[in-house]
Amino acid sequence: MTQQDIRAFFTVVPDPRVERTKRHGLADIIVIAVLAVVCGADDWDDVYAFGRIRQEWLTQLLDLRQGIPSTSTFKRVFRALNPVAFAGAFASWTRALVGTSLEGKLVAIDGKTLRGSFQEPSKRGAIHLVTAWVVENQVVFGQLATEAKSNEITVIPELLKMLALKGATVTIDAMGCQRNIASQIVESGGDYVLALKGNQPTLAEEVEAAFVTAQIAEEPLEQSQCFEETEKAHGRVQSRRVTAVDVAGRLSCAHDWKGLESIIMVESMREVGEKQTHEIRYYISSHKPDAQMLARCIRQHWSIENNQHWELDVTFHEDRSRIRKGYGPDNFAALRRMALAMVNNETSRKISKKTKRKSAGWDNEYLLKILKANIPGSHEMGPM
């Protein structure tokens, strides 16, 4: 792919402004905003302050003949900007960076509530974002918003439509353990590992009973059907035992789940000092019962919590955000996720993401390095 101007990915986003108010290019506004967030901006006042302070430097990269947009311009544009179109442009940029194929990759789908985004109970509740996170690349490939966690069931199928799932494995928590979702993944050429809880009571009871029956009967299992691992760190010992068996003859409802091949039991034992806890979780999968491979999928699913959700709250202060009006919360959330991806993609300095953001805020050359690392096909970058 030839070198591209990063603004090119946002030209497809419909400009919500009327013609007479377009003093600044929409793509320029977006790029200033995302670079500001990379450098530590948490709200629209911060975005404007970044642009004003860095105006001379930004002028070398963007069309700023009308100067830096005001705080009110940033607010007005992002409140009105179509969040689905903006998230789609973000996803196009991501795919251009890491490739469109998801073959052999793990796609973790999970939701996160923007806790400060509610206005009033009578108007709108807090926004809940459902994200498709590609574990191997540590990037977002798709994102859609809903106003309640329960609505993940309707949003996930729409999110899956945005992905080329051939050869990929999709992991989802119990909310996404639905027949239609399993069918959609398999029909798209992918595999699934779905957490199982009480929202599928018949299936959950039969899966649990199948493992109890197997244990009582002392059913001989192949080596590949069992996997154990133990971790010791910071005075904590955590052990996991994963058992996977095929579904043949074990479930009366197996035919209701397209592609279903295996059921999985994960036993977790945790010791901290003298305190011990024990937990058992169940999963279903379209993969054959390879316990070690399935254990890896289940473990890596939590990458979306540890490497995205945690970073967004701790490094990008997402839970403290009070941006609430219009589509502002949705779009600032997309800016954070794009900024996180940009910081991840710059690997020349082995420092924390927090320090990378501060370094970019202090050093034009390092910010330029981050920008260069995020332009597909870019090796040398001059003015855009």
Side-chain angles (χ1 to χ4, degrees), residues 197-303:
K197 286 187 179 178
N199 62 323
Q200 296 290 342
T202 301
L203 180 60
E205 289 172 10
E206 291 196 0
V207 168
E208 183 174 357
F211 280 103
V212 171
T213 301
Q215 291 168 356
I216 292 174
E218 296 184 352
E219 178 180 334
L221 298 177
E222 297 178 11
Q223 185 175 356
S224 64
Q225 293 178 284
C226 303
F227 176 72
E228 294 187 36
E229 59 181 347
T230 300
E231 293 179 348
K232 298 179 181 180
H234 309 294
R236 181 181 66 245
V237 179
Q238 184 151 346
S239 302
R240 280 174 291 274
R241 181 185 300 119
V242 180
T243 307
V245 297
D246 60 59
V247 298
R250 303 181 194 275
L251 306 177
S252 66
C253 57
H255 61 278
D256 294 332
W257 295 83
K258 193 174 185 68
L260 180 58
E261 290 282 351
S262 61
I263 55 177
I264 306 106
M265 178 174 69
V266 178
E267 297 177 87
S268 298
M269 288 71 70
R270 181 185 176 95
E271 297 179 25
V272 181
E274 296 182 358
K275 185 178 180 180
Q276 296 183 347
T277 57
H278 180 259
E279 180 185 20
I280 297 179
R281 292 169 286 138
Y282 298 99
Y283 298 81
I284 63 171
S285 178
S286 60
H287 281 298
K288 298 290 185 182
D290 180 336
Q292 185 170 359
M293 182 273 291
L294 290 165
R296 184 173 65 251
C297 291
I298 292 166
R299 185 84 183 278
Q300 288 182 337
H301 173 81
W302 299 111
S303 165

Side-chain angles (χ1 to χ4, degrees), residues 37-209:
V37 176
V38 167
C39 293
D42 288 331
D43 56 31
W44 305 122
D45 288 324
D46 289 352
V47 171
Y48 168 69
F50 164 83
R52 181 174 53 78
I53 293 167
R54 292 289 183 85
Q55 182 169 352
E56 183 178 349
W57 181 80
L58 288 167
T59 300
Q60 302 172 47
L61 308 175
L62 307 172
D63 180 3
L64 298 179
R65 284 172 288 185
Q66 298 295 325
I68 297 295
S70 66
T71 300
S72 61
T73 296
F74 284 113
K75 287 181 181 178
R76 186 173 64 252
V77 168
F78 281 100
R79 284 174 182 173
L81 196 67
N82 184 310
V84 176
F86 185 38
F90 169 26
S92 296
W93 164 77
T94 299
R95 293 176 189 128
L97 277 174
V98 302
T100 58
S101 174
L102 294 173
E103 189 160 358
K105 296 181 179 180
L106 185 72
V107 181
I109 293 181
D110 195 25
K112 183 180 186 298
T113 300
L114 306 182
R115 300 188 186 282
S117 63
F118 71 92
Q119 293 185 41
E120 294 177 11
S122 60
K123 292 183 179 179
R124 183 177 70 178
I127 293 168
H128 190 75
L129 286 177
V130 184
T131 300
W133 172 260
V134 182
V135 172
E136 287 78 4
N137 301 112
Q138 300 285 285
V139 293
V140 172
F141 255 48
Q143 170 182 301
L144 290 174
T146 175
E147 290 184 14
K149 182 174 175 60
S150 60
N151 290 339
E152 283 188 21
I153 295 172
T154 58
V155 167
I156 289 172
E158 296 303 312
L159 186 58
L160 292 173
K161 290 177 185 178
M162 300 168 62
L163 309 173
L165 292 176
K166 184 177 179 181
T169 296
V170 179
T171 59
I172 317 176
D173 66 14
M175 184 68 72
C177 188
Q178 306 290 330
R179 294 176 181 84
N180 65 310
I181 290 174
S183 296
Q184 184 177 354
I185 293 168
V186 172
E187 289 166 4
S188 299
D191 284 288
Y192 60 79
V193 179
L194 306 178
L196 181 60
K197 286 187 179 178
N199 62 323
Q200 296 290 342
T202 301
L203 180 60
E205 289 172 10
E206 291 196 0
V207 168
E208 183 174 357

Side-chain angles (χ1 to χ4, degrees), residues 297-316:
C297 291
I298 292 166
R299 185 84 183 278
Q300 288 182 337
H301 173 81
W302 299 111
S303 165
I304 192 172
E305 289 280 354
N306 299 330
N307 297 337
Q308 182 183 246
H309 296 350
W310 187 88
E311 290 287 358
L312 289 170
D313 283 338
V314 174
T315 306
F316 287 80

